[in-house]
Amino acid sequence: GAVVSQHPSWVICKSGTSVKIECRSLDFQATTMFWYRQFPKQSLMLMATSNEGSKATYEQGVEKDKFLINHASLTLSTLTVTSAHPEDSSFYICSARLGETQYFGPGTRLLVL
Amino acid sequence: AQSVSQHNHHVILSEAASLELGCNYSYGGTVNLFWYVQYPGQHLQLLLKYFSGDPLVKGIKGFEAEFIKSKFSFNLRKPSVQWSDTAEYFCAVDSNYQLIWGAGTKLIIKP
C-alpha cells in the first residue's frame, strides 16, 4: 500500500518551453502532497506544499510563477515548470502524505537543453 | 532553525558487520522521526518511523532505530549488514508536517 507514482520518469525539453510533471497517489487519498528537488550529491530540497483545493505554499526562494502547482483532486498534484531554463535541470520528487508519513514517488529527471 | 545532522556522509563496511548510522536533530518539541532509504536507481522508501511509545522501533529488512530524547538522537542500526543494504540512508524529522532532512549517508557494503 501507499504507492505514489510520477509521470514522466524523465523528460528532455528545449529552453523556453513548459513541462508538466504529474504526481499520483495510487491507493490512497492525499490532501497534502509535497514537491522536492534533489541536486546531485545533496539531500532533498522542499519546493512547495500542495494542498488539495487550495493554493500551494512555496518555500522561500522558490518562484511560484515559475513552478506552478495544481492539486485538483485527492490523488493528483501537478508541477509545471514554465519557461524552463537549463538551470532548472534537476531531479524532481513528489511525496504524498498519509497520516503523518510521507510516501515518495520515483522522481522525474528533467533536462533542459 | 530546526536541523538534522547525519554524522557520516560515507560508510564502508564488509558483509556481516554491524551498522550504526547517527542522526541528531535540533528541535526540542514533540517530533516524528523517520529513516528513509534510497537504493541505487530507486526512489525513497520508508525504512521505519517513530511517533511515540517504545523508543526502540523496528523497521523493514532487519533495521531498527532508537529514539533517545535526552540526546536528540535517532540512530539507525542493523546487527549484520548484507551487500543488498548498499544504499543512501536519510534521517528526517517531521516538524509541522514538513520533513527536515539530514544530508544522507551513503552506505557501501563490500561483498
Side-chain angles (χ1 to χ4, degrees), chain A residues 6 11 17 19 21 31-32 36-37 48 53 58 61 64 68 70-71 81-82 92 94 96 102-103 107 113:
Chain A
Q6 275 183 249
V11 57
T17 60
V19 173
I21 303 169
T31 54
T32 304
Y36 294 85
R37 190 170 171 176
Y58 290 83
K64 61 180 181 181
L68 300 179
N70 185 284
H71 193 157
V81 183
T82 62
Y92 293 87
C94 76
Q102 289 186 33
Y103 295 91
L113 301 176

Side-chain angles (χ1 to χ4, degrees), chain A residues 36-46 90-91 93, chain B residues 4 6 9 38 44 88-92 99-106:
Chain A
Y36 294 85
R37 190 170 171 176
Q38 188 174 30
F39 295 95
K41 299 183 180 181
Q42 292 188 34
S43 187
L44 287 82
M45 182 195 81
L46 179 65
S90 192
F91 193 52
I93 304 172
Chain B
V4 177
Q6 291 181 239
H9 295 296
Q38 190 169 26
L44 280 163
E88 188 159 15
Y89 293 80
F90 294 93
C91 179
L99 287 177
I100 311 297
W101 294 89
T105 298
K106 276 191 168 59

Side-chain angles (χ1 to χ4, degrees), chain A residues 34 43 97 100-102 104 106, chain B residues 34 36 43 49 97 101-102:
Chain A
F34 301 87
S43 187
R97 195 174 77 211
E100 294 177 308
T101 302
Q102 289 186 33
F104 287 82
Chain B
F34 303 84
Y36 285 89
H43 63 283
K49 60 188 177 185
Y97 295 111
W101 294 89

Side-chain angles (χ1 to χ4, degrees), chain A residues 36-75:
Chain A
Y36 294 85
R37 190 170 171 176
Q38 188 174 30
F39 295 95
K41 299 183 180 181
Q42 292 188 34
S43 187
L44 287 82
M45 182 195 81
L46 179 65
M47 298 175 66
T49 302
S50 169
N51 298 297
E52 188 266 338
S54 65
K55 291 183 180 179
T57 304
Y58 290 83
E59 295 302 297
Q60 194 172 7
V62 178
E63 297 175 59
K64 61 180 181 181
D65 295 329
K66 180 166 187 61
F67 297 100
L68 300 179
I69 291 172
N70 185 284
H71 193 157
S73 80
L74 289 171
T75 58

Side-chain angles (χ1 to χ4, degrees), chain B residues 28-82:
Chain B
T30 303
V31 292
N32 295 327
L33 300 157
F34 303 84
W35 276 96
Y36 285 89
V37 60
Q38 190 169 26
Y39 296 102
Q42 296 188 30
H43 63 283
L44 280 163
Q45 299 173 42
L46 180 67
L47 202 53
L48 49 78
K49 60 188 177 185
Y50 172 80
F51 292 165
S52 64
D54 189 343
L56 184 63
V57 291
K58 295 192 184 299
I60 59 171
K61 306 188 181 186
F63 286 91
E64 64 179 31
E66 186 174 12
F67 169 54
I68 302 179
K69 190 174 181 179
S70 61
K71 294 185 178 180
F72 298 90
S73 70
F74 190 54
N75 292 354
L76 181 70
R77 300 196 292 249
K78 185 170 182 177
S80 175
V81 293
Q82 301 171 310

